[in-house]
Amino acid sequence: MDFNFTQDENNFRKEIKDWLSKNLSQRISNKVKKFQRLDKNDYEEFMKALSAKGWLAVNWPKEHGGTGWSNTQKHIFEEEIVKAGAPRIVPFGLNMLGPVLMEFGNEKQKKYYLPRILNCDDWWAQGYSEPGSGSDLASLRTKAVDHGDHYIVNGQKTWTTLGQFANKIFCLVKTDTNCKPQNGISFLLIDIDSPGIEVRPIITLDGEHEVNEVWLKDVKVPKENLLGEENKGWTYAKYLLTHERTGIAGVPNSKSAINHLKVIANKTYKNGKPLIQDPLFSSQIAELEIDLKAMEIFNLRAISSAESGKAPVMESSLLKIKGSIIRQKTSDLLRKAIGPQALPYISEQFDEGWNQETIGPEYAGPLAKQYFIYRKISIYGGSNEIQKNIVAKSEFRM
Amino acid sequence: MHFNLSEERKMLKESCDRLLNDHYTQYKNHHEVSSSEIGFNKNFWEECSEIGMLSALISPNFNGLGGTGEDIMIVFELIGKHLVVEPFLSSGILSITSLTNSKDIETSVLDEISSASKIYAFGHSEVDTRYDETHIKTKANYKNDAVFLTGQKSFVLNGDFADKLICTARFSGNDFDQNGFGLYEIDKTHCDIRSYNTIDGYRAAELNFSEIPAKELCKNSDAYNALLETLYAGAFALSAESIGAMEVCFNMTLEYLKTREQFGKPIGSFQALQHRMVDVMIEIEQAKSAVMLAAGTYEADKDTKYKNISAAKNLVGRAGKLVAEECIQLHGGIAMTWEYNLHNYAKRLVMIDHLMGDSDHHLEKFKLYSNY
């Protein structure tokens, strides 16, 4: 056993840190740290800077313009961008579509789409979930009917994250309804500008617009936009789940959230003493910190076994579950740490440039809102219950 | 960064595991062993010594072959896996650590331990000490060049059969002071001993003594440091032991879920039970990770070392209880019987939280060493 990063890895971390300090604008990191709303340009400014440096496609092999980094390097990179307060790298094109294109796309598609993802020319959205198909994704009903050289697509997609910024959407659609649901699904690449597509906002419980509904009415999609083979879409969709998902536990995010929690617990008071000195409250923080430290090691164990070629499928599911519990628990304690200061809700506070006085300390504003929206973590990306089904099926063989 | 064992340690693990598999009859005999005259199997203890399982707990500086966090973790995980009741904790880790942290200890003393020719026991707890580190009422009385002890020690593992006893006693200050106490070696023939079995199949003793001759091992800050090292070594070893026992419980339960049928199918096909098993699995992986971290920083500075051991012992305490309770529940009625082996593991898992500081104690210590 060796818990230390190598000298090369430490140098790598320093290189990332130095670059971020020069190339991530203060304006954007301030917005991220204050939980302010990011617009399309904020995301793209950072992603284009990474792209110019050659660091955007961390999960891609070098031949396609990726970094070719090891899992450990990716982990270090993820840690540093979270620490620096960078916006998240929008994953739909880079981490979801990209690997599927590389594995199953034809040469023409790869040549056209991959560089456009890499250069931030396209913003992809994910068209998986439907109103009637959440955990039971294969039951989806959006239909693509064969019209010779094109399909006509009708249906509705939902929970389309940042779809308001997208110009493209990859969709799972039904191309055969006379078979087992999984065997009649195809994977289509669709222009959001196509006639018949409408993107409507969904406002989530925190009052924010991040996700959307996408309505498709008689949308014409050329056959050349079919990825891989017709009716094999389920295989492609599942491919992503077995693909490396080292970041799934959200260790860097939880680390910075717990640090934030400790800072706040030092600034708020109970019985005239900083809350962090209250045995009841500090015990809850400490227990969380112990769980997080253990999960960090668990995550590194999974990374290191992935490095030796073993796909950490079971570990990914376990880490997703534990990671969501820890992140939610942290947001729960953050909300509790500020007591009644959690109540005020001034939506404008989360707009860039808002400079009025906050009610209570500035850090209090987003905490209740964050708590509520973080309930999503155990629901999205395969709910925790679905993850448990996956583990039971693969590990228990029952 | 990697989490693999070196070739040498893999060999250690394999040879110990083989011996335990072949020669250790823990199953129905678990409580019979502790009910025997000496409370453990002496022949087996000697076999453990022969294959180096005791030397693995001792540093090369004292003529041992190991003594690192990784060595201790390997040995104690196997002890947990096979539910070994031989005195690995008392005559092993606790006595070894207190002796090697005392002053001017001769290597031959450690040789006696590793060769199984002498059994040592470590007595610190008193009847109302609970898990306090320095709550010591037993008195040490210095007269001329000699020292004499008066008091009582409780829950001394293997205290009845040990050849030598190491215990803490105070010569000045208040009951809780970090200064003013020492570590002493006493002879059990001078003690009034009441021995008993523990609920998890071990042997312990209550010792009473009055003005008995003792040998000073160390005192004041040396004794305080040696005591902390000893308590933390014990907490760490128990944490590793817990991992081994948790894994057995998990595997037994999984096997049972596959074979036990109700409503015409294996009960493991029911989602409500599968999901609980996954929760158990997550906590075992978490506990394992915490123990690995404690092993990896066992040789680090004291604050880091103690912080990570406290984290591990806290997590293991919580996870061990979860595993014990869930595995009993998932089994159902059969787990309530003496006949079925699960209870031995479940008891050990829960009782580990009653030794060397429970999860609450170590949560407080974690806060202390993390500067909360």
Side-chain angles (χ1 to χ4, degrees), chain B residues 189-202:
Chain B
T189 53
H190 298 127
C191 302
D192 173 30
I193 297 175
R194 182 181 173 195
S195 86
Y196 49 89
N197 293 339
T198 63
I199 190 162
D200 53 349
Y202 283 71

PDB file of all heavy atoms in Angstrom, chain B residues 189-202:
ATOM      1  N   THR B 189       0.888 -13.978  40.655  1.00  0.00           N
ATOM      2  CA  THR B 189       0.757 -14.804  41.859  1.00  0.00           C
ATOM      3  C   THR B 189       0.497 -13.952  43.099  1.00  0.00           C
ATOM      4  O   THR B 189       0.024 -14.440  44.112  1.00  0.00           O
ATOM      5  CB  THR B 189       2.023 -15.660  42.102  1.00  0.00           C
ATOM      6  OG1 THR B 189       3.146 -14.775  42.090  1.00  0.00           O
ATOM      7  CG2 THR B 189       2.180 -16.712  41.029  1.00  0.00           C
ATOM      8  N   HIS B 190       0.803 -12.640  42.994  1.00  0.00           N
ATOM      9  CA  HIS B 190       0.536 -11.753  44.134  1.00  0.00           C
ATOM     10  C   HIS B 190      -0.872 -11.189  44.134  1.00  0.00           C
ATOM     11  O   HIS B 190      -1.254 -10.472  45.048  1.00  0.00           O
ATOM     12  CB  HIS B 190       1.527 -10.571  44.132  1.00  0.00           C
ATOM     13  CG  HIS B 190       2.943 -11.020  44.284  1.00  0.00           C
ATOM     14  ND1 HIS B 190       3.927 -10.640  43.404  1.00  0.00           N
ATOM     15  CD2 HIS B 190       3.518 -11.826  45.192  1.00  0.00           C
ATOM     16  CE1 HIS B 190       5.069 -11.186  43.773  1.00  0.00           C
ATOM     17  NE2 HIS B 190       4.847 -11.913  44.866  1.00  0.00           N
ATOM     18  N   CYS B 191      -1.631 -11.482  43.059  1.00  0.00           N
ATOM     19  CA  CYS B 191      -2.950 -10.838  42.916  1.00  0.00           C
ATOM     20  C   CYS B 191      -4.072 -11.780  43.312  1.00  0.00           C
ATOM     21  O   CYS B 191      -3.987 -12.989  43.153  1.00  0.00           O
ATOM     22  CB  CYS B 191      -3.184 -10.428  41.464  1.00  0.00           C
ATOM     23  SG  CYS B 191      -1.957  -9.315  40.831  1.00  0.00           S
ATOM     24  N   ASP B 192      -5.136 -11.141  43.764  1.00  0.00           N
ATOM     25  CA  ASP B 192      -6.380 -11.869  43.948  1.00  0.00           C
ATOM     26  C   ASP B 192      -7.109 -11.797  42.592  1.00  0.00           C
ATOM     27  O   ASP B 192      -7.391 -10.710  42.098  1.00  0.00           O
ATOM     28  CB  ASP B 192      -7.189 -11.187  45.064  1.00  0.00           C
ATOM     29  CG  ASP B 192      -8.575 -11.791  45.192  1.00  0.00           C
ATOM     30  OD1 ASP B 192      -8.712 -12.994  44.891  1.00  0.00           O
ATOM     31  OD2 ASP B 192      -9.500 -11.041  45.559  1.00  0.00           O
ATOM     32  N   ILE B 193      -7.378 -12.941  41.995  1.00  0.00           N
ATOM     33  CA  ILE B 193      -7.885 -12.955  40.613  1.00  0.00           C
ATOM     34  C   ILE B 193      -9.264 -13.584  40.552  1.00  0.00           C
ATOM     35  O   ILE B 193      -9.485 -14.680  41.087  1.00  0.00           O
ATOM     36  CB  ILE B 193      -6.937 -13.760  39.699  1.00  0.00           C
ATOM     37  CG1 ILE B 193      -5.573 -13.074  39.669  1.00  0.00           C
ATOM     38  CG2 ILE B 193      -7.507 -13.876  38.290  1.00  0.00           C
ATOM     39  CD1 ILE B 193      -4.530 -13.830  38.898  1.00  0.00           C
ATOM     40  N   ARG B 194     -10.181 -12.898  39.912  1.00  0.00           N
ATOM     41  CA  ARG B 194     -11.479 -13.499  39.619  1.00  0.00           C
ATOM     42  C   ARG B 194     -11.631 -13.524  38.095  1.00  0.00           C
ATOM     43  O   ARG B 194     -11.655 -12.482  37.452  1.00  0.00           O
ATOM     44  CB  ARG B 194     -12.589 -12.659  40.241  1.00  0.00           C
ATOM     45  CG  ARG B 194     -13.934 -13.270  40.004  1.00  0.00           C
ATOM     46  CD  ARG B 194     -15.025 -12.431  40.605  1.00  0.00           C
ATOM     47  NE  ARG B 194     -16.299 -12.992  40.199  1.00  0.00           N
ATOM     48  CZ  ARG B 194     -17.453 -12.358  40.303  1.00  0.00           C
ATOM     49  NH1 ARG B 194     -17.482 -11.140  40.795  1.00  0.00           N
ATOM     50  NH2 ARG B 194     -18.556 -12.938  39.916  1.00  0.00           N
ATOM     51  N   SER B 195     -11.688 -14.724  37.524  1.00  0.00           N
ATOM     52  CA  SER B 195     -11.726 -14.783  36.065  1.00  0.00           C
ATOM     53  C   SER B 195     -13.120 -15.142  35.579  1.00  0.00           C
ATOM     54  O   SER B 195     -13.902 -15.759  36.288  1.00  0.00           O
ATOM     55  CB  SER B 195     -10.681 -15.761  35.542  1.00  0.00           C
ATOM     56  OG  SER B 195     -11.200 -17.055  35.519  1.00  0.00           O
ATOM     57  N   TYR B 196     -13.421 -14.748  34.371  1.00  0.00           N
ATOM     58  CA  TYR B 196     -14.758 -14.973  33.810  1.00  0.00           C
ATOM     59  C   TYR B 196     -14.681 -14.981  32.284  1.00  0.00           C
ATOM     60  O   TYR B 196     -13.717 -14.486  31.697  1.00  0.00           O
ATOM     61  CB  TYR B 196     -15.737 -13.889  34.275  1.00  0.00           C
ATOM     62  CG  TYR B 196     -15.219 -12.484  34.121  1.00  0.00           C
ATOM     63  CD1 TYR B 196     -15.415 -11.768  32.938  1.00  0.00           C
ATOM     64  CD2 TYR B 196     -14.484 -11.861  35.143  1.00  0.00           C
ATOM     65  CE1 TYR B 196     -14.912 -10.495  32.783  1.00  0.00           C
ATOM     66  CE2 TYR B 196     -13.974 -10.585  34.992  1.00  0.00           C
ATOM     67  CZ  TYR B 196     -14.188  -9.909  33.804  1.00  0.00           C
ATOM     68  OH  TYR B 196     -13.676  -8.652  33.643  1.00  0.00           O
ATOM     69  N   ASN B 197     -15.742 -15.511  31.671  1.00  0.00           N
ATOM     70  CA  ASN B 197     -15.844 -15.453  30.216  1.00  0.00           C
ATOM     71  C   ASN B 197     -16.577 -14.188  29.815  1.00  0.00           C
ATOM     72  O   ASN B 197     -17.432 -13.696  30.549  1.00  0.00           O
ATOM     73  CB  ASN B 197     -16.621 -16.653  29.679  1.00  0.00           C
ATOM     74  CG  ASN B 197     -15.855 -17.938  29.905  1.00  0.00           C
ATOM     75  OD1 ASN B 197     -14.644 -17.914  30.094  1.00  0.00           O
ATOM     76  ND2 ASN B 197     -16.571 -19.037  29.900  1.00  0.00           N
ATOM     77  N   THR B 198     -16.262 -13.707  28.613  1.00  0.00           N
ATOM     78  CA  THR B 198     -16.989 -12.538  28.106  1.00  0.00           C
ATOM     79  C   THR B 198     -18.097 -13.022  27.168  1.00  0.00           C
ATOM     80  O   THR B 198     -18.066 -14.163  26.701  1.00  0.00           O
ATOM     81  CB  THR B 198     -16.047 -11.583  27.354  1.00  0.00           C
ATOM     82  OG1 THR B 198     -15.543 -12.272  26.215  1.00  0.00           O
ATOM     83  CG2 THR B 198     -14.913 -11.123  28.241  1.00  0.00           C
ATOM     84  N   ILE B 199     -19.034 -12.165  26.886  1.00  0.00           N
ATOM     85  CA  ILE B 199     -20.184 -12.559  26.076  1.00  0.00           C
ATOM     86  C   ILE B 199     -19.783 -12.951  24.654  1.00  0.00           C
ATOM     87  O   ILE B 199     -20.478 -13.708  23.980  1.00  0.00           O
ATOM     88  CB  ILE B 199     -21.245 -11.432  26.056  1.00  0.00           C
ATOM     89  CG1 ILE B 199     -22.541 -11.935  25.416  1.00  0.00           C
ATOM     90  CG2 ILE B 199     -20.747 -10.176  25.346  1.00  0.00           C
ATOM     91  CD1 ILE B 199     -23.752 -11.099  25.712  1.00  0.00           C
ATOM     92  N   ASP B 200     -18.622 -12.442  24.213  1.00  0.00           N
ATOM     93  CA  ASP B 200     -18.175 -12.776  22.858  1.00  0.00           C
ATOM     94  C   ASP B 200     -17.115 -13.877  22.849  1.00  0.00           C
ATOM     95  O   ASP B 200     -16.401 -14.051  21.868  1.00  0.00           O
ATOM     96  CB  ASP B 200     -17.673 -11.513  22.138  1.00  0.00           C
ATOM     97  CG  ASP B 200     -16.617 -10.767  22.939  1.00  0.00           C
ATOM     98  OD1 ASP B 200     -16.428 -11.094  24.120  1.00  0.00           O
ATOM     99  OD2 ASP B 200     -15.978  -9.848  22.380  1.00  0.00           O
ATOM    100  N   GLY B 201     -17.024 -14.617  23.958  1.00  0.00           N
ATOM    101  CA  GLY B 201     -16.176 -15.815  23.945  1.00  0.00           C
ATOM    102  C   GLY B 201     -14.721 -15.598  24.289  1.00  0.00           C
ATOM    103  O   GLY B 201     -13.872 -16.402  23.924  1.00  0.00           O
ATOM    104  N   TYR B 202     -14.419 -14.530  24.976  1.00  0.00           N
ATOM    105  CA  TYR B 202     -13.043 -14.303  25.411  1.00  0.00           C
ATOM    106  C   TYR B 202     -12.942 -14.556  26.910  1.00  0.00           C
ATOM    107  O   TYR B 202     -13.929 -14.804  27.596  1.00  0.00           O
ATOM    108  CB  TYR B 202     -12.597 -12.869  25.082  1.00  0.00           C
ATOM    109  CG  TYR B 202     -12.270 -12.707  23.627  1.00  0.00           C
ATOM    110  CD1 TYR B 202     -13.280 -12.727  22.666  1.00  0.00           C
ATOM    111  CD2 TYR B 202     -10.947 -12.577  23.195  1.00  0.00           C
ATOM    112  CE1 TYR B 202     -12.987 -12.596  21.320  1.00  0.00           C
ATOM    113  CE2 TYR B 202     -10.646 -12.455  21.854  1.00  0.00           C
ATOM    114  CZ  TYR B 202     -11.666 -12.467  20.920  1.00  0.00           C
ATOM    115  OH  TYR B 202     -11.365 -12.352  19.598  1.00  0.00           O
TER     116      TYR B 202
END
